[in-house]
Amino acid sequence: MISTTIDGGILAVLADNPPVNALGADLRAALHDAITRASGDPAVEAIVIGCAGRTFFAGADIREFGQPQREPSLVALIAAIEALDKPVVAAIHGTALGGGLEVAMACHYRIATTTAKLGLPEVKLGLLPGATGTQRLPRLVGIEEACRMAVSGDPVDATTAARIGLVDRIVEEADPLPGAVAFARERAGKPFVRTRDRAVAGEAEAIGDYFERNRSKLRGLDAPVAIRRCLEAAMALPFDEGVAIEREGFVRLRDGDQSKALRHYFFAERAAAKIDGLDAAVEPLPVQKVGVIGAGTMGGGIAINFLVAGFDVVIVEQDQQRLDAGVALLRDNLAKTARRKGLAADRVDAMMARLSPSLSYEAVADCDLVIEAVFELMDVKKTLFATLDGIVKPGAILASNTSYLDLDEIAGATGRPDSVVGLHFFSPANIMKLLEVVRGARTSERVLATAMQLARRIGKIGVVSGVCYGFIGNRMLAARQRQAMKLIEEGAKVIEVDRALTDFGLPMGPFQMTDLAGLDIGWDPRTSAGRTIRERLCEAGLRGQKNRRGFYDYDADRNRNPSPEAEQIIRRFAEDNGIGQRAIGADEILERLLYPMINEAALILEEGIAQRASDVDVVWVNGYGWPAWRGGPMFWADSLGLARVVEGLRHHAASLGPDFRLSNRLVEAAASGAPLC
Ligand code: 3HC
Ligand code: NAI
């Protein structure tokens, strides 16, 4: 776990704890041992601490949180490093994160490779940097940068780290060790300043300003508030008093609900990348050229992902006008994406140069992967897949972005159903992180593995789903939307239903979502007969945000107000259908919206559509904005107690509708006390 070499008075301590050198108990003990020995060894004049493998220490071992603490603690190890009276140099490559950066900041100097990244991401786990990071970072980089880094959790690159004073030297080589040893030799025998003895540069107001600027992003989160307290202590109090405040805050957060949820989510995201039962020998297919059919809302966004990731892209439309409009919008959105990612403006031109717009399917003949994003109509998709099958080179993957249609039926229109897969992007496709990878009955393992690898290559989080109406995410969403409609029929106000979910932490409620998408999606005036509230709203000319009249009225700035017209239509609908209206409390609203979603997810698990409960959480956090600090719907249900969910569903049974079916899996888990996750 630790190897040491000494050369000309410089001791190099190399840690090796794959995959990411997390600072687990055994590694801490071994490091502590090496430090203690070095301290008493007169032959050692200076020390370098570095790591083998792909990265410097990526932090504390997250799996140890909640377990009994084993000595030495990270804080004790860090104190021992700093207390050495010989210079200690951290040799950083890969990512120095969390506890890893805290170790580096206790060293007397830091050397980093050009590609290294340094950060305190604890906040993303609902924690604060708990091994003196909140007290050390401000002493090295000043309060303003420290606040930004610790509260956003975003790392800085080596160049920035050098500019702000976090790194003392950047080395060009991939291995930082030789440069760090040379640096240590320069410093051996010379005086140095310990981080704890430095003053904090900057003004305390910078903290308040940062929180003010980021108010909406930080809403509801415990960790940033606790970090703020530590940063204020770093400015006002001696080092050890600040550390005591930090410790108290760390323990409180670690044992709190938000951090448990976020830690669950961390591992859920990593588990989602794994395909159960997949033979390890299966190699993904090479993909470099991608075809996109349809340059509408989704096609343009999908193409952007591949352009940004360095693929060649062909985009095909049915007529010149739509092609031109689609490509123009794509260019605008690509420029926005580039700005957001901090890419130079000329990169947009370079990326656009790799895009080939076309009106002919022949243009995708030599693509390795073709994704269709045409109208959501089975006949259109089947005809298209049959055509593509005859044109696109053998072995190439044919993918559908369908939201609801049966992928197996689409695959059946081709002679290569094993090469057909669903790639269900979420709108806006260049922004949303989720990609549901839909595994058809005949999709080959190799194609599935390729699709999951592609998700990573384009910066998405892939989750495998089986074939069913709406796959994992939209099927659960549909269950929620059905209940939302029932609630307003029974007398809940539109705004009360939406507010129950936004108060819970979701970005918008069901009616805000419907207004945004358009009330008339799938509405046909020829067959509309006032059978649903939605039909009646459409018949009255309400279309949602696009004509500023929907479940809400919208002003020119898209501010919404309750719509008296919609309310009247809803009331009338209830009367005509003999539905009694009453006031419905916020708790009942929330239960009737969320419990049926949990039930639907349990059915999804029962049917083998999702591989594991935590995948459902990954879908909802990344596709629908479920707050990660609530872990995802499955983790939330487990924390609430499944028995309570089942009891609630039974209690509301009469309101849930004739199609509602309680999941056996949910009932059994509730009875046995076993969690879903
Ligand atoms: N503890 C335990 N396991 C960890 C870990 C950690 N800190 N970091 C990563 N792992 C595990 C992952 O779960 C994964 O396991 P698996 O193969 O069984 O699924 C494996 O290491 C590889 O991780 P990734 O798939 O994420 O690898 P990448 O190369 O994509 O990313 C990384 C590497 C950027 C280091 C990323 O893993 C990461 O961001 N890790 C977490 C970093 C972090 O949050 N550190 C702070 C920890 S809290 C802390 O330090 C508290 C302190 O202040 C007291
Ligand atoms: P859209 O209507 O904006 O775009 C579809 C485009 O496909 C149009 O520009 C049309 O001209 C083109 N097209 C139709 N048939 C074609 C053909 N045979 N050849 C070439 N081009 C053709 O639709 P949108 O919203 O982009 O949806 C596309 C697909 O993506 C649908 O299957 C939809 O269900 C799915 N989807 C949509 C989401 C959304 O939020 N809009 C989210 C996720 C999936």
Side-chain angles (χ1 to χ4, degrees), residues 64 66-70:
E64 282 184 1
Q67 312 284 336
Q69 163 88 23
R70 279 168 59 198

Side-chain angles (χ1 to χ4, degrees), residues 490 649-657:
E490 289 174 37
L649 286 167
R650 288 194 168 126
H651 177 74
H652 297 302
S655 319
L656 298 175

Side-chain angles (χ1 to χ4, degrees), residues 287 289-291 306 367-371 396-399 421 423 454:
V287 176
K289 187 166 181 185
V290 177
F306 288 95
C367 285
D368 308 304
L369 159 72
V370 180
I371 308 170
I397 301 174
L398 301 182
V421 69
L423 291 179
L454 277 170

